[in-house]
Amino acid sequence: MDIVLVHGAGGRPTTWSAVAPLLTALGHRLFTVTNPMTSLSDDVTNTAAALAETTGPVLLAGHSYGGAVISNVGRDPRVKGLVYIAAFGPDEGETVNEIVERYEPAEISKYMRRGPNGEWKSEPSEEFWAEIGSDLSAEQRAVVEAEGRKAENLIFTEPSGPPAWRTLPSWYLVADDDRTLRPEIQNDMATRMKATVEHVPGSHYTTLVWPRRVADVIHTAAVAVGADS
């Protein structure tokens, strides 16, 4: 199966560095993107371009903000299914900000800093790691810190288009101890999209902490949509 892996805000393809070898070993062909994070529509366009490299039916997997991207890219007829890893799944006309603002602020908000042009970036500190990513090893922290890209405000405030999850089979892996995207938000979005849901303990860094579980969910989805294609 051709699988496109989409990182979240501030991320890079290294988000999937522990998951990718597991999926490759299962026989899947993987594609990653490095989105500009200048706006939601720019990231959707950039990710959609990656579909040109695929040769058959496609499964999209998104982590965090990457879920908003795949919800839009998934309207391409080549896409057969969607996998959300502790990820946003906005409805039509909805923004990422509108989703989180319906709930109590997540703990991550204490460590977010805004740049001079309105862009956002988290500020890791020992307090940050203790509260937001306490289940990461030193090596895994280094991966996160090396990503550390700024994200323009438009990725959070631009309204989403018609969501592909309304018509495509979807899977959702909820991180039950997530202090970046509150678990109750994840559960509510998964319920709304009628996704097949699984849960793991741990922080928002699910792809690094639970790579086997992430790979298993993606593989299960790939087998399911591949059989239906």
Side-chain angles (χ1 to χ4, degrees):
M1 187 82 186
D2 286 355
I3 302 174
V4 179
L5 304 172
V6 183
H7 62 75
R12 301 180 188 272
T14 48
T15 294
W16 303 97
S17 57
V19 176
L22 303 176
L23 291 172
T24 299
L26 290 167
H28 301 295
R29 201 159 74 113
L30 305 183
F31 302 83
T32 58
V33 295
T34 303
N35 281 328
M37 295 186 297
T38 46
S39 69
L40 175 58
S41 55
D42 287 347
D43 292 344
V44 169
T45 297
N46 189 67
T47 300
L51 297 183
E53 304 297 321
T54 63
T55 58
V58 178
L59 179 73
L60 300 178
H63 174 249
S64 193
Y65 157 74
V69 177
I70 68 170
S71 295
N72 288 274
V73 177
R75 294 193 296 270
D76 188 293
R78 288 169 288 190
V79 179
K80 304 304 179 184
L82 307 167
V83 181
Y84 294 82
I85 308 298
F88 286 93
D91 204 346
E92 183 172 7
E94 193 172 51
T95 70
V96 168
N97 270 5
E98 286 172 346
I99 293 172
V100 298
E101 286 170 358
R102 296 188 194 116
Y103 301 80
E104 289 297 315
E107 290 82 351
I108 189 71
S109 61
K110 293 184 287 186
Y111 305 99
M112 295 300 295
R113 302 292 179 262
R114 198 160 193 172
N117 298 313
E119 70 275 16
W120 291 94
K121 185 177 180 182
S122 61
E123 187 177 84
S125 61
E126 285 306 311
E127 292 77 15
F128 171 93
W129 292 120
E131 187 166 18
I132 307 303
S134 61
D135 51 358
L136 290 174
S137 67
E139 292 77 11
Q140 291 165 336
R141 286 187 188 185
V143 172
V144 176
E145 289 181 326
E147 291 180 345
R149 299 167 61 211
K150 292 181 179 179
E152 298 296 337
N153 197 46
L154 268 175
I155 74 169
F156 305 115
T157 60
E158 183 177 0
S160 187
W165 49 258
R166 288 210 176 274
T167 57
L168 293 178
S170 301
W171 286 257
Y172 201 112
L173 186 61
V174 177
D176 285 335
D177 304 310
D178 198 329
R179 298 191 174 195
T180 297
L181 177 57
R182 298 181 70 93
E184 58 265 39
I185 305 179
Q186 297 181 45
N187 283 308
D188 288 349
M189 288 188 292
T191 298
R192 179 171 69 175
M193 64 177 67
K194 298 181 172 62
T196 299
V197 181
E198 293 191 28
H199 293 257
V200 289
S203 71
H204 192 60
Y205 302 104
T206 318
T207 60
L208 296 172
V209 179
W210 292 99
R212 174 58 68 183
R213 290 291 303 278
V214 173
D216 286 348
V217 170
I218 294 173
H219 176 64
T220 297
V223 170
V225 302
D228 293 338
S229 298

